[in-house]
Amino acid sequence: MIENAKVAVVGVGNNTSALVQGIAFYRSSGSLVGIHQPQVAGLGVGDIDVVAAFARSDGKVGSDLHQAILAPPNNFPRLDVELPPSGVTVQRGLVDPAGIARVAEALNGAEVLLYSAPSGRPETARAYAEVALRAGVAFVNTTADPVARDPSLLDRFERAGLPLIGDDLASQFGASVLHRALLRLLAERGLTLVSSYQVNLGGTEDFRNLVENPDSKKQSKLNALGSGQVQLAPLAYMPHLKSQKITHLNVEAQGWGETAISLDVRLQVHDPSGAAGVNIDLIRLAAAARRAGHGGYPPEAAAHLKSPPGTAV
């Protein structure tokens, strides 16, 4: 029987709440609802053990992980699953580069370090990549901050035989995935794109952070869409939406005889669910690559990311 993948998480926000609750849910229920890949290299969605967790919030540091993921300001819904104490105490994350050695020593036998902190902190993201290199674990960057797009850093992971996956999740079913599919459909059907825009509203703390630090996320979304004719409106943080995200998409195109085509779409999802549905695959890909000694960027991860290596920073 294959050994469970062991992961350490950085960031104990909504995305980690959705992931940890979901692993417990699928492990206990055996359900396959909402699962993209039931098996990755022999690992099921319940075959993940979180062995360490790091946060910066005083309200979460020192708490059991299962308690911390439900603490405010987290607002992802409580799934229908029992969450007894996990035995994992949330530790203080990096506050400066001097803590790299401390965090590396605290990974508790992890195979994968999942960086799920807010976007907009590129120095912190790179520091955790250094933690992964020092500890000899795979690194998965879920944020828009450039890590895997740094050729020198990617080369170091390759030479160390450690996987480096990033950057920025393409949600299991989110605005960028849907928008890209619509643009691709226009091209496949021979229509001419005139213009398109995307407006995103959300209520999570990560969304609030993105409103305050939008630059890297905007470029990453443009990387995912691959069209210079798409406009992205500023993000809007609306706390009453809680973990839900609402996206408005508009596409203007021309068909035969230059006749007009206009499409408007409204999408509403729980944003952390979309992240967890992708993270569960990336963790298993990273663990399998590390076990096989395959360093650097695994090409199989590309479909799960907005900004893989080679895209703009």
Side-chain angles (χ1 to χ4, degrees), residues 50-236:
V50 179
V51 297
F54 302 90
R56 298 172 66 172
S57 168
D58 290 337
K60 294 176 181 176
V61 172
S63 300
D64 183 86
L65 178 61
H66 285 174
Q67 177 185 358
I69 60 174
L70 302 176
N74 288 9
N75 50 27
F76 181 72
R78 183 76 159 81
L79 299 185
D80 185 19
V81 63
E82 293 293 324
L83 288 176
S86 68
V88 174
T89 300
V90 178
Q91 301 176 63
R92 178 76 60 186
L94 288 175
V95 293
D96 57 61
I100 288 175
R102 170 183 61 83
V103 175
E105 292 174 2
L107 290 187
N108 296 334
E111 300 171 272
V112 179
L113 182 59
L114 177 73
Y115 183 69
S116 190
S119 292
R121 301 171 181 169
E123 297 84 4
T124 304
R126 285 184 58 88
Y128 275 105
E130 295 291 343
V131 167
L133 280 167
R134 182 171 298 209
V137 304
F139 189 66
V140 177
N141 176 34
T142 74
T143 77
D145 297 320
V147 176
R149 283 171 289 170
D150 182 330
S152 63
L153 196 53
L154 183 58
D155 179 66
R156 291 173 63 197
F157 272 85
E158 288 176 349
R159 287 187 282 108
L162 297 172
L164 174 60
I165 294 178
D167 299 315
D168 202 9
L169 298 180
S171 180
Q172 189 176 16
F173 193 78
S176 296
V177 169
L178 177 59
H179 204 163
R180 182 170 57 191
L182 289 172
L183 296 178
R184 185 185 301 123
L185 180 62
L186 257 66
E188 289 174 354
R189 304 302 295 173
L191 303 175
T192 300
L193 177 67
V194 174
S195 66
S196 185
Y197 68 75
Q198 182 184 130
V199 179
N200 294 290
L201 319 172
T204 66
E205 284 297 293
D206 189 52
F207 222 88
R208 181 173 67 83
N209 177 70
L210 290 173
V211 170
E212 298 169 357
N213 302 283
D215 291 345
S216 60
K217 190 68 174 182
K218 181 177 180 180
Q219 182 58 59
S220 189
K221 278 185 167 290
L222 290 173
N223 289 344
L225 295 173
S227 173
Q229 294 169 279
V230 176
Q231 298 296 314
L232 300 176
L235 301 168

